[in-house]
Amino acid sequence: MRIPPLKYVLVMALLCGLQSLRAQQLQGKIQNSEGAGISCVELYVKTTLITTTDATGAFQLSDAWDVPLRLTLKHPDYYVKTVNLTSDDEVLTLLPLDHDPELDPVVISSTYQKASQLIIPTTKVTSETFDAYSPIDIVSALNQTPGVYIQSGALNTNRITIRGVGSRTLYGTNKIRAYYDGIPITNGAGETSIDAFDPESMANVEVVKGPKATQYGTNLGGTLLLNTKHALAGETYIQNNFSVGSFGLLKNRVALGTAEDRYAIQLQYDHLETDGFRDNSRYRRNALLLTSRYQLNTNNEFGVLLNYTNYFAQIPSSIGKTAFETDPSQAAYTWSQAQGYEDNDQVLVGLNYTHRFSERFSNTMAVFYSYLDHYEPRPFNILDEYTNGYGIRTLFAQDFDFFDRQSTLSFGTELYQDAYTWRTIENLYESNDGNGSLEGELLSDNLEKRYTAQLFATTTLQLTGALKLQMGFNLNSTRYQFTDYFNVGDSNTSADRNFDPIFAPNLNLLYQLTSDIKLYANVSRGFNYPSIEETLTPSGLINPDLGPETGYNYELGSAFYTFQGRMHVQLSAYLLDIDNLLVADRVGDDQYIGRNAGQTEHKGVEVAVSFSQLFANGWSLRPYVNAEFSDNRFVNFVDGETDYSGNVLTGVPSTKINGGLQLAYKYFSLNTNVLHIGDMPLDDANTLYSDPYTVLNTKLTYRSDLSPRLSFELHAGINNFTDETYASSVLINAVGFGDSEPRYYYPGDPRNWYGGLKLNYAL
């Protein structure tokens, strides 16, 4: 039947109207907690970038998308957020990386266990930064942070220096504290090792430079807070990341995760092996990580952390100048002959429970246990040790009103004890027909018990609409018990050492000058206790006169946005004065005696600049540069007959510049990074310096979806693109025995490649 003209017009109008509604672009706005729009926020559907916000924080989606739509919002200065877009003109809010959860209406004190809660800026190294490097390279990602310099002699040999603090530690790291999902991973001697933790499992690492985090021990170097990835509410997935590369590199990670509003669980298995480019440098690691949380009801939440790591790592050790210049792939001769290595089993277990007494008052309590079984044949002896550590940490958080402005108070305590049993055994490798190490007679047998108690509190006051004040303190008590099971009678060296408690206050000021500019200041006191080995005299007795390092940190800084929010700049200037400097004097092949030798002054300027630009044709560009310029010196340091006062601090570069470029187009992204390290003195007399070096790394990635549930990533990268010969770590004040050269240098890897495939299946 023929449709009358009027009805025809009406039908066509209705159809066109429906079509126009269907074709209408979804739009919305993304803002911060103060209602200001955030520019340059990227909106993703799974791994596909679909749009970005303009200068006002507004966005529009093409007519290819319709509600409901699951979006992931990303911005370098805000927490990543996944949302379900259910309507047009929706307003979404992002929280900045330096956001203070204690100023929210509802306190969730479990977050206090995983973040510093400082009102002044800290640095967060995110999973996106780790993804820009090789899947085994946690060091390069952390080295992007101005003020942080990690020297890496091998995968299992890293020394972390923050603003020059820690440079005099000959092996490992012992001037900072570190926490893994709120659980301490620094042992009773103050030693921290991060190589046992897989960078692919990290959601972020917060770096606090200096003694500013009162609830984490106020060590002079600072604090590292390592936090693991977990599934977001509504997600269930299976992931597999497989990588291969130079020098026999093979790495495979399998992860399963699921989460709903009331629970989340993630299980990960990681296998890593590499032969290394040097002789005697083979490395094998297997690790299992389980994290979970369960919300019993609105007021109670329970969480579990289990991390098990087993690794075997050969030790090539440091080499002299001639070997470094002629053949850096060789191992130190005696370590090669002894086929030195370390074999480790590590366990970390943590249980945490959060109870909310009210909307304004809550508590999180965590109990934890750690175990380390370590066996290390060295040319001079064989070290056989194991450590059992356990403790409890509790933190209360309270909101209150201060002159009608919401403020907060947090307070708590941490108790830690470990029992460290260690023996040294004669190494008969020279009479073992070239088969490496062989146990001989027992040389020593000891037990160390190390106790640490911390009491801490912090209050944050909103003095005006623009000015915040944060005050806190940490009170620390440490003592050692040393038992000598080997020597008897007058030769027995058993003894106790109790240190006087140390009170470390902290003051932070933050002033929001405009919506884009903030100014801040910090004054804080910190300390570093000597290890029990450093307290021993050459005869093996505990030195009652050796005390902790103490110091004051002063810092001024600013963070601001410009170019309509596309550029972020952070500047800081600091002065750190340290008294009673701990110095390790070498008295044997593997014997170092500690003493308080004087004063040092650490001062410097740090700058971090990042820029983000998204072009209409789908290209995006993100250049960045992080730089530090420092002057670290001995103020007062007399060693025997020699006065080193005024000399440059050993083992610290005065210049470190890290920059890069992230270029992306649709499914492709290219990451490049350049690290420049200036020269640094290798001895206290400043007669010998290391050479400056520059290393270029690059990585190309392709991401796409195979189906609505299955996505994949292909990546390939080249480290040390220009094949630079450099020392990735140095041993300061090295001494040559007999006719051998002092072994100052740990060679860095030459040019090497890697590639891999990642699969993600969403259930």
Side-chain angles (χ1 to χ4, degrees):
M1 184 177 71
R2 185 166 176 246
I3 300 176
L6 179 59
K7 289 185 177 181
Y8 176 79
V9 172
L10 291 175
V11 170
M12 290 301 297
L14 178 61
L15 291 176
C16 291
L18 291 174
Q19 179 62 29
S20 67
L21 287 174
R22 176 63 183 88
Q24 182 180 3
Q25 292 183 320
L26 291 171
Q27 61 185 10
K29 180 181 179 181
I30 300 177
Q31 63 183 21
N32 60 24
S33 56
E34 298 176 349
I38 307 172
S39 63
C40 300
V41 178
E42 297 178 341
L43 284 71
Y44 288 83
V45 174
K46 295 184 177 179
T47 59
T48 302
L49 176 64
I50 61 172
T51 191
T52 186
T53 57
D54 62 18
T56 67
F59 65 88
Q60 284 189 335
L61 305 183
S62 71
D63 56 9
W65 306 104
D66 198 3
V67 294
L69 182 63
R70 191 170 181 82
L71 295 173
T72 299
L73 314 179
K74 294 184 179 182
H75 189 283
D77 300 303
Y78 292 80
Y79 286 105
V80 175
K81 185 174 184 178
T82 299
V83 298
N84 287 314
L85 191 66
T86 58
S87 63
D88 197 17
D89 287 326
E90 193 160 349
V91 177
L92 308 171
T93 301
L94 292 183
L95 298 180
L97 290 178
D98 58 356
H99 169 72
D100 301 311
E102 69 268 25
L103 299 182
D104 286 342
V106 178
V107 173
I108 302 176
S109 62
S110 60
T111 62
Y112 281 74
Q113 301 283 39
K114 299 182 181 181
S116 69
Q117 307 305 320
L118 291 175
I119 62 171
I120 63 177
T122 60
T123 299
K124 278 192 172 67
V125 182
T126 64
S127 59
E128 286 80 5
T129 303
F130 289 118
D131 287 344
Y133 295 94
S134 163
I136 68 171
D137 194 358
I138 191 173
V139 171
S140 293
L142 292 177
N143 267 337
Q144 278 196 195
T145 307
V148 176
Y149 177 41
I150 304 181
Q151 299 189 47
S152 180
L155 284 176
N156 58 313
T157 306
N158 298 298
R159 178 167 66 251
I160 304 174
T161 301
I162 300 180
R163 292 179 172 175
V165 179
S167 66
R168 300 196 64 82
T169 303
L170 299 178
Y171 306 102
T173 299
N174 75 343
K175 304 295 184 183
I176 67 169
R177 285 190 67 80
Y179 290 76
Y180 191 67
D181 273 357
I183 304 299
I185 56 174
T186 300
N187 68 18
E191 299 166 347
T192 299
S193 177
I194 62 171
D195 54 88
F197 302 101
D198 179 22
E200 288 190 297
S201 70
M202 301 291 182
N204 62 70
V205 176
E206 183 178 5
V207 181
V208 180
K209 292 172 279 189
K212 293 179 286 194
T214 52
Q215 70 189 52
Y216 293 106
T218 56
N219 282 58
L220 286 167
T223 305
L224 296 181
L225 303 177
L226 290 71
N227 294 305
T228 58
K229 293 178 179 176
H230 57 81
L232 301 174
E235 277 190 323
T236 299
Y237 58 78
I238 301 174
Q239 296 176 343
N240 187 78
N241 306 339
F242 179 78
S243 301
V244 295
S246 300
F247 314 123
L249 170 65
L250 187 152
K251 187 177 189 298
N252 193 57
R253 172 182 177 265
V254 180
L256 298 89
T258 184
E260 295 295 342
D261 290 337
R262 295 187 60 180
Y263 69 87
I265 184 169
Q266 173 142 332
L267 178 65
Q268 170 191 308
Y269 170 74
D270 169 61
H271 172 76
L272 169 63
E273 60 182 74
T274 176
D275 296 329
F277 98 95
R278 298 182 63 193
D279 298 334
N280 202 63
S281 61
R282 188 162 58 96
Y283 183 94
R284 300 289 185 272
R285 184 182 75 197
N286 291 285
L288 185 69
L289 171 65
L290 171 68
T291 59
S292 67
R293 65 166 181 85
Y294 181 74
Q295 188 176 33
L296 302 174
N297 50 49
T298 56
N299 294 325
N300 297 279
E301 185 177 301
F302 181 77
V304 176
L305 167 70
L306 171 63
N307 189 79
Y308 169 74
T309 305
N310 167 266
Y311 74 82
F312 171 89
Q314 293 182 317
I315 303 174
S317 196
S318 56
I319 55 178
K321 184 177 179 61
T322 301
F324 176 70
E325 293 177 344
T326 58
D327 182 13
S329 67
Q330 63 184 290
Y333 176 77
T334 54
W335 283 87
S336 177
Q337 294 298 304
Q339 299 177 23
Y341 66 89
E342 60 174 320
D343 192 359
N344 289 274
D345 276 299
Q346 294 180 244
V347 176
L348 180 66
V349 180
L351 305 175
N352 65 78
Y353 173 71
T354 297
H355 176 69
R356 284 177 274 279
F357 301 97
S358 69
E359 288 191 351
R360 309 192 81 188
F361 185 44
S362 61
N363 169 257
T364 289
M365 179 175 292
V367 293
F368 46 88
Y369 169 76
S370 60
Y371 173 76
L372 171 64
D373 186 349
H374 177 91
Y375 185 80
E376 183 180 345
R378 296 92 64 91
F380 34 85
N381 62 34
I382 296 173
L383 175 63
D384 186 8
E385 62 182 10
Y386 63 90
T387 305
N388 287 282
Y390 45 91
I392 184 171
R393 179 178 173 85
T394 184
L395 188 145
F396 293 86
Q398 171 73 65
D399 277 350
F400 64 95
D401 293 327
F402 181 76
F403 292 105
D404 296 325
R405 296 183 183 275
Q406 185 171 306
S407 298
T408 189
L409 170 68
S410 64
F411 58 93
T413 186
E414 179 181 310
L415 306 176
Y416 179 83
Q417 173 183 335
D418 64 9
Y420 170 51
T421 301
W422 58 281
R423 305 184 305 155
T424 56
I425 305 163
E426 185 181 12
N427 194 337
L428 303 178
Y429 73 93
E430 292 177 301
S431 57
N432 197 26
D433 298 325
N435 294 315
S437 296
L438 177 66
E439 288 191 5
E441 295 183 359
L442 185 68
L443 301 176
S444 66
D445 189 3
N446 307 283
L447 170 64
E448 299 175 14
K449 290 186 177 181
R450 306 173 293 208
Y451 306 86
T452 300
Q454 296 184 59
L455 178 67
F456 47 82
T458 302
T459 185
T460 303
L461 306 176
Q462 188 79 36
L463 300 181
T464 70
L467 180 62
K468 288 182 185 178
L469 168 69
Q470 189 174 66
M471 300 179 294
F473 73 88
N474 181 288
L475 181 63
N476 184 289
S477 176
T478 295
R479 61 189 179 95
Y480 300 140
Q481 289 181 343
F482 178 70
T483 304
D484 181 356
Y485 289 116
F486 184 76
N487 297 297
V488 296
D490 293 339
S491 300
N492 188 274
T493 58
S494 300
D496 297 346
R497 178 66 202 274
N498 296 331
F499 294 95
D500 293 333
I502 293 181
F503 179 75
N506 181 40
L507 175 66
N508 297 306
L509 283 172
L510 177 68
Y511 184 70
Q512 193 77 40
L513 184 62
T514 70
S515 60
D516 292 326
I517 302 174
K518 63 178 67 174
L519 308 174
Y520 66 90
N522 167 263
V523 179
S524 52
R525 187 180 190 229
F527 56 87
N528 294 318
Y529 282 109
S531 68
I532 196 168
E533 285 74 31
E534 288 176 310
T535 66
L536 300 179
T537 65
S539 59
L541 299 175
I542 284 184
N543 177 8
D545 298 323
L546 186 70
E549 296 176 336
T550 58
Y552 284 92
N553 181 73
Y554 310 92
E555 184 172 346
L556 295 173
S558 174
F560 60 90
Y561 291 90
T562 186
F563 292 104
Q564 296 181 321
R566 293 194 298 273
M567 177 178 286
H568 182 227
V569 181
Q570 186 169 324
L571 299 168
S572 61
Y574 65 88
L575 171 64
L576 176 61
D577 289 321
I578 299 178
D579 295 325
N580 301 314
L581 178 70
L582 289 168
V583 174
D585 285 338
R586 188 168 189 165
V587 296
D589 197 15
D590 185 44
Q591 189 176 12
Y592 299 88
I593 305 303
R595 61 187 180 87
N596 296 118
Q599 299 173 306
T600 56
E601 182 181 75
H602 307 244
K603 55 187 176 183
V605 176
E606 299 166 357
V607 58
V609 181
S610 61
F611 183 84
S612 179
Q613 177 67 57
L614 188 68
F615 299 97
N617 57 7
W619 288 89
S620 65
L621 183 67
R622 292 184 182 83
Y624 64 90
V625 62
N626 305 305
E628 60 187 83
F629 307 95
S630 60
D631 183 11
N632 308 290
R633 293 183 179 273
F634 297 110
V635 175
N636 179 19
F637 180 20
V638 178
D639 186 7
E641 301 292 325
T642 307
D643 188 352
Y644 297 121
S645 301
N647 284 8
V648 177
L649 185 64
T650 321
V652 183
S654 59
T655 302
K656 172 175 161 263
I657 301 175
N658 187 296
L661 179 66
Q662 299 173 349
L663 182 65
Y665 178 69
K666 294 185 178 180
Y667 304 115
F668 290 92
S669 62
L670 177 67
N671 289 277
T672 60
N673 176 266
V674 177
L675 173 66
H676 173 76
I677 300 295
D679 60 0
M680 52 186 162
L682 299 178
D683 60 356
D684 293 338
N686 293 177
T687 59
L688 181 65
Y689 277 72
S690 67
D691 292 329
Y693 66 87
T694 302
V695 175
L696 169 64
N697 299 323
T698 185
K699 180 180 181 180
L700 178 65
T701 302
Y702 176 81
R703 299 181 178 92
S704 187
D705 292 335
L706 294 174
S707 73
R709 293 185 178 274
L710 180 61
S711 60
F712 77 98
E713 172 190 306
L714 288 171
H715 61 263
I718 300 176
N719 295 324
N720 193 3
F721 193 90
T722 59
D723 203 20
E724 178 96 345
T725 299
Y726 69 102
S728 58
S729 184
V730 297
L731 182 64
I732 65 170
N733 296 317
V735 177
F737 293 94
D739 296 328
S740 63
E741 284 185 315
R743 296 189 289 112
Y744 285 103
Y745 306 99
Y746 288 88
D749 287 354
R751 182 190 298 119
N752 61 93
W753 66 271
Y754 63 91
L757 169 65
K758 294 184 180 181
L759 295 173
N760 186 92
Y761 185 75
L763 299 176

